[in-house]
């Protein structure tokens, strides 16, 4: 039999003092903010940059505020910070992660989990969740909206939680699935009055869509994700489960499974139906949301649907909830101790293991050059942009690689830029002198323009070509290539 996670003494213990949690959160937030100004990385060179660009140019192109792919809620929050550059967006991301960690702490307190401030530490000690702060991606905002709604429900404010979670689909599309989880919880607990609030976000954005698209249902009719995209492929059903350690680290991964099995054990007991409402809320909103979220992405990737590319960064969306489950696992392990002194030593040992893992050199742990250094494709893009700018006034440009918009200082939504498919466009040929920035990933995968298409076309002349090892520590493994062609 598994040991109990609580004791009579814990049941009557006074609520913990918030000061240590405040101090811990402030210290970790300062570490994140300092990292903003020393990191050279952007997490990735694709979606991270694209989301930033949608926000950066939203005021020049207001349609960006209501664009399906970029997510309206994300653009609205990032639009002002983006005017201070990508680092301005990173500062916002740090604040979002800090707020999510604080809500996780609030949920842990409400559930009377041991050492609730560990929920804050576990959020920051999840390697990929820490790294994703330094990007323009949507996962930090999604994680905040999700944990905030769950915490509000746990604290007896289900109606406000329903209003908050109604915004989730406008941070990421999976939000529609988790709306169903929250709605099921409201039905099970017969909280009828909170149910209509689940439609608040959809109603508000639907009305906005009437002015932009003349379509109340634009969220569905202008959906950026087709049911099937053959170029994205598919993979094994176990992909996301076995990738979770890369997101949270192996120590938290073990605690996560222990906490999850403990909850399953409690739920399977006949007395579970007599549990208080908080047990139901924790079971459905914490554990249920994690299972449904990972399960949905498993289905998407297995069958190659809804634009799934198997990107494991999406798991960052549920890290604050995973931290609560891991904290339940801490309770199980410390319950083995017979005295409070022994239990405290076990907790300290677990904390040391969680933090120590970050610096152990494992693939899932921190590696400075990989995680915070400038990637090779961006260095090469900078070099290509320098060459182009030295040639004089920049003409019309074509590129698919999102990062090139930064060193070229080009509005990617403006009239002086086209995407790679434009090289094949017959109805509107590119003007003479146009510079085409070809790269070996985005131009091929998304633009569908292989190198030979330009090399063998007499309309285009190769002006610049360079390559660099993708992993500069393994120069013989793979390389990044960027070429510049000019339209004659």
């Amino acid at each position: 039999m598994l040991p109990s996670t609580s004791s009579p003494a814990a049941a009557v213990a006074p609520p913990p003092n918030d000061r240590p949690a405040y101090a811990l959160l402030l210290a970790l937030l300062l570490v994140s903010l300092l990292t903003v100004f020393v990191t050279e990385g952007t997490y990735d060179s694709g979606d991270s940059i694209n989301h930033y660009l949608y926000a950066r140019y939203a005021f020049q192109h207001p349609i960006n505020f209501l664009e399906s792919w970029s997510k309206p809620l994300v653009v609205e929050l990032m639009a002002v910070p983006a005017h201070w550059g990508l680092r301005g967006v990173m500062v916002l991301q740090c604040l979002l992660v800090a707020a999510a960690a604080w809500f996780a702490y609030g949920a842990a307190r409400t559930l009377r989990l041991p050492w609730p401030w560990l929920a804050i530490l576990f959020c920051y000690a999840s390697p990929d969740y820490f790294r994703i702060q330094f990007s323009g991606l949507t996962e930090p905002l999604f994680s905040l909206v999700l944990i905030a709604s769950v915490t509000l429900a746990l604290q007896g404010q289900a109606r406000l939680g329903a209003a908050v979670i109604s915004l989730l689909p406008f941070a990421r599309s999976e939000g529609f699935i988790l709306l169903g989880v929250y709605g099921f919880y409201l039905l099970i607990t017969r909280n009828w009055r909170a149910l209509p609030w689940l439609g608040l976000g959809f109603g508000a954005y639907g009305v906005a869509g009437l002015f932009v698209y003349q379509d109340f249902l634009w969220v569905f009719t202008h959906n950026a994700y087709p049911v099937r995209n053959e170029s994205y492929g598919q993979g094994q059903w176990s992909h996301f489960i076995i990738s979770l350690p890369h997101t949270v680290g192996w120590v938290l991964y073990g605690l996560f499974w222990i906490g999850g099995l403990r909850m399953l054990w409690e739920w399977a007991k006949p007395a579970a139906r007599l549990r208080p409402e908080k047990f139901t809320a924790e079971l459905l909103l914490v554990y249920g949301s994690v299972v449904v979220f990972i399960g949905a992405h498993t289905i998407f990737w297995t069958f190659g649907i809804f634009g799934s590319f198997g990107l494991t960064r999406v798991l960052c969306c549920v890290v604050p909830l995973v931290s609560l489950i891991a904290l339940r696992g801490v309770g199980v392990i410390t319950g083995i101790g017979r005295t409070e002194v022994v239990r405290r030593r076990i907790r300290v040992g677990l904390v040391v293991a969680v933090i120590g893992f970050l610096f152990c050199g494992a693939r899932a742990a921190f590696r400075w050059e990989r995680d915070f250094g400038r990637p090779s494709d961006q260095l090469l893009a900078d070099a290509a942009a320098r060459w182009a700018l030295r040639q004089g006034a920049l003409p019309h440009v074509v590129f698919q690689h999102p990062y090139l918009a930064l060193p070229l200082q080009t509005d990617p939504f403006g009239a002086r830029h086209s995407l790679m498919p434009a090289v094949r466009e017959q109805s509107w040929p590119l003007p003479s002198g146009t510079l085409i920035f070809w790269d070996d990933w985005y131009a091929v995968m998304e633009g569908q323009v292989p190198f030979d298409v330009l090399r063998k076309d007499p309309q285009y002349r190769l002006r610049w070509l360079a390559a660099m090892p993708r992993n500069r520590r393994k120069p013989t493994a793979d390389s990044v290539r960027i070429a510049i062609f000019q339209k004659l």
Side-chain angles (χ1 to χ4, degrees), residues 47 71 150 217 349 374 384 398:
D47 290 351
K71 302 307 169 198
V150 170
L217 301 176
R374 182 66 61 87
V398 175

Side-chain angles (χ1 to χ4, degrees), residues 30 43 62 112 120 176 208 253 283 290 318 324 370 380 409 411 416 459 463 474:
L30 288 175
Y43 192 90
R112 291 189 173 276
I120 297 173
F176 281 112
Y253 185 66
L283 178 66
V290 172
V318 293
L324 297 177
R370 180 197 65 189
L380 207 55
Q409 300 179 22
D411 177 356
R416 299 188 63 185
Q459 297 183 85
R463 298 291 309 278
K474 298 179 180 179

Side-chain angles (χ1 to χ4, degrees), residues 51 65-76 138 141-143 145-146 149 161-182 197-203 205-206 218-220 223-225 293 317:
H51 282 290
F65 283 109
L66 222 63
E67 210 282 336
S68 173
W69 182 86
S70 62
K71 302 307 169 198
L73 191 61
V74 175
V75 174
E76 289 158 13
T138 59
L141 178 58
F142 186 97
S143 71
V145 176
L146 178 58
S149 62
V164 171
I165 204 171
S166 73
L167 299 172
L168 200 59
F170 304 97
R172 286 187 61 87
S173 297
E174 305 96 320
F176 281 112
I177 301 171
L178 296 186
L179 272 182
V181 175
Y182 201 99
W197 290 96
L198 291 176
L200 178 64
F202 182 80
Y205 280 105
W218 71 272
V219 175
F220 302 114
N223 181 22
Y225 300 100
F293 185 89
C317 292

